[in-house]
Amino acid sequence: MIDRNNIWHLLYSVSLPLATVATQFLDRPNLAKSTAESYEIALLPFLEKYGRIHINLLGTKLIYSYLKRQSHLSSSTLHRHKVILQSLFNYAIQQGYAETNPLGNTRRPKQYEPSERKTRDRSSAPTRRAVTPHQYELLYQAIGHDCRLQLLTRLSRSSGASIAQLLALNVADIDRENHQFPVQTKEGQTNWYSFSEEDTPCLNKYLRFYRHNSSEALFTAQHPVTKKVTRLSYRRVHQQWLLVTQKVFEIENIRLQDIRIKY
């Protein structure tokens, strides 16, 4: 039997102009008003020129040609515009309006055989990518009032220490006056990591209001039922991280190990 809904959806997506998709993209309920406004400003020149074109007809050559002509923009601003366009097309893919992203970074989920998935995961595991300043801005907004995760993110970014290294710290290890802390290497040596003075307010807030004093660990967690306080686990941090990042397209692929890579 012919599925009329599928036929209608196919015809609709083929004829859907970019401007319509962009409107839906900017009207997402989980997108902060200030973020939506900044996206709109960045997208407006592109939409004025190509908004009436069907989204599936916009190719890589056309978009890169447009970006190349924006010589009045700084390199960082131009990169941000490219990221926003990538996010727009990723949204179109997830909604079924487009098949591919002309700027790459396609995120349409694929099905793999178990053996295929293992091979793919191993080959992609070493890939590391820097987080852009704009992505950090979105990340901090998404984390919101989770002071513990906020501090972990900020310390890893400014010091270059891994999340695992930070979770192994005791509160006594933090030298707040000199903005540094020690990390033991596998060879038994001590390396000192320095963090930004700008992280101090977040650190002080966490120590005063959110850390459990019954543990020596810097980052603590309390069991919701037994109320037992323990050192915060990497598994728990990873769970919280996924809950935060998967809400926003621009940061959904950022991993914990990407935070400390300098942009």
Side-chain angles (χ1 to χ4, degrees):
M1 178 180 288
I2 298 175
D3 190 332
R4 295 185 179 181
N5 289 331
N6 286 342
I7 293 177
W8 178 89
H9 182 77
L10 179 62
L11 292 173
Y12 180 66
S13 63
V14 169
S15 62
L16 196 64
L18 177 66
T20 302
V21 181
T23 300
Q24 295 180 17
F25 174 70
L26 295 172
D27 285 345
R28 288 173 292 159
N30 63 335
L31 193 65
K33 183 179 179 181
S34 58
T35 303
E37 290 175 350
S38 68
Y39 283 8
E40 184 176 5
I41 292 172
L43 288 171
L44 194 56
F46 187 78
L47 294 174
E48 286 178 346
K49 196 169 185 65
Y50 303 112
R52 295 183 179 180
I53 296 180
H54 300 164
I55 190 167
N56 284 317
L57 299 180
L58 291 164
T60 303
K61 186 176 180 180
L62 181 149
I63 297 176
Y64 273 104
S65 176
Y66 164 81
L67 292 172
K68 190 175 181 180
R69 292 196 299 271
Q70 309 308 304
S71 56
H72 59 287
L73 300 177
S74 66
S75 58
S76 60
T77 302
L78 188 62
H79 177 75
R80 179 172 176 271
H81 284 206
K82 178 184 174 183
V83 169
I84 293 173
L85 282 169
Q86 283 179 326
S87 299
L88 171 59
F89 280 98
N90 285 333
Y91 170 80
I93 290 171
Q94 292 198 358
Q95 297 301 311
Y97 301 146
E99 287 296 321
T100 59
N101 189 328
L103 292 171
N105 197 23
T106 303
R107 298 176 187 166
R108 166 160 282 191
K110 297 181 180 180
Q111 299 297 323
Y112 294 94
E113 293 298 324
S115 58
E116 228 182 326
R117 186 181 290 109
K118 289 180 181 178
T119 303
R120 182 173 176 267
D121 290 344
R122 282 198 297 270
S123 63
S124 62
T127 304
R128 300 172 67 190
R129 47 189 174 272
V131 182
T132 68
H134 175 62
Q135 286 176 312
Y136 273 119
E137 180 183 334
L138 295 176
L139 185 56
Y140 292 144
Q141 289 179 7
I143 293 173
H145 299 295
D146 188 336
C147 190
R148 186 175 61 183
L149 187 58
Q150 190 84 241
L151 180 60
L152 269 169
T153 304
R154 290 181 180 277
L155 287 181
S156 184
R157 178 189 182 185
S158 63
S159 70
S162 69
I163 296 297
Q165 289 172 328
L166 292 172
L167 293 177
L169 292 174
N170 291 331
V171 67
D173 293 327
I174 299 295
D175 182 349
R176 284 194 272 177
E177 183 177 349
N178 296 307
H179 308 103
Q180 60 182 2
F181 55 84
V183 170
Q184 297 295 323
T185 66
K186 294 180 180 179
E187 295 76 22
Q189 298 177 337
T190 301
N191 290 335
W192 286 88
Y193 286 76
S194 299
F195 58 91
S196 172
E197 188 175 353
E198 296 177 356
D199 299 331
T200 300
C202 186
L203 173 62
N204 292 338
K205 181 180 179 181
Y206 169 75
L207 292 175
R208 183 176 179 183
F209 297 108
Y210 296 96
R211 181 183 169 274
H212 300 89
N213 294 324
S214 56
S215 172
E216 64 178 2
L218 173 60
F219 291 99
T220 59
Q222 186 176 50
H223 194 281
V225 178
T226 65
K227 304 301 180 182
K228 181 180 178 181
V229 175
T230 60
R231 185 181 297 273
L232 179 63
S233 68
Y234 188 95
R235 180 181 179 183
R236 178 56 181 159
V237 174
H238 186 253
Q239 290 173 340
Q240 291 177 305
W241 184 260
L242 292 179
L243 287 174
V244 166
T245 57
Q246 289 180 353
K247 295 178 181 179
V248 184
F249 282 94
E250 290 79 1
I251 61 175
E252 66 179 356
N253 281 348
I254 297 177
R255 303 164 302 177
L256 284 168
Q257 59 264 43
D258 296 332
I259 305 174
R260 57 184 180 142
I261 304 173
K262 299 301 181 183
Y263 179 69

